[in-house]
Amino acid sequence: MKKGLLLVFVMLCSHLLFAQNEIGPEGHKLLWVVLLVAVIAGVFVITAKPFKTKEKKARQPLFKNRKVEVELTKDTLYYPDSLTLKLKNTGNTDLDLDRPLLVFDNFWLKRKFKLKGMGNHSFYPLFLEKEKTHTLQIDLTRFYGHDKSLKKFPKAKVILSDVKGKRLGSKAVYLRKTLFKF
């Protein structure tokens, strides 16, 4: 069917391309032929069905919408001992999440830590299906035991990215009172 349609198209367009019965610039004829070919090719590409195979494969969406809802909560209003990170995949595709990055921020100084898991169990990178949630408890006393000066940092932030490095989202909380209101 496509070969026959292509043959008819070439026969009709050959009259426009090769007929020389007037003298003058003929760029406009070529422009119309190129536009007609582009429209027909576009129709074939849009309406083309994939080849049927023995196994039915799930069609991938045309535009991958990768969205993650990030919620970071603390157990007390000031000087919390733990943070709870809740992730929900609200996009239309499944995600491979890389290890979250925990950043302690002191306006001029930042300390960054990669979170591996919880309770001495490592479970990152994490495959998160669409519409699924994941919860991670972050024990801040382990970080404070590592470096005592972290207790003076007023802000903690969690940054999420996928395994390819694309940043998906972040959330920040204040751990103690500051002079600045944000």
Side-chain angles (χ1 to χ4, degrees), residues 49-63:
K49 294 181 182 177
F51 295 110
K52 292 183 180 179
T53 59
K54 293 180 182 178
E55 300 175 10
K56 288 197 172 192
K57 295 181 182 177
R59 288 190 86 172
Q60 295 290 330
L62 186 60
F63 297 105

Side-chain angles (χ1 to χ4, degrees), residues 83-126:
L83 299 175
T84 304
L85 175 68
K86 290 183 184 177
L87 310 172
K88 183 175 182 182
N89 185 359
T90 58
N92 59 4
T93 59
D94 300 336
L95 294 174
D96 273 330
L97 296 176
D98 198 13
R99 296 185 298 173
L101 183 68
L102 178 65
V103 180
F104 288 95
D105 190 359
N106 192 8
F107 301 113
W108 296 282
L109 184 64
K110 295 183 189 326
R111 293 290 310 270
K112 299 177 182 179
F113 298 94
K114 287 262 187 179
L115 302 177
K116 295 180 183 175
M118 176 174 61
N120 293 329
H121 296 289
S122 179
F123 45 82
Y124 286 103
L126 178 73

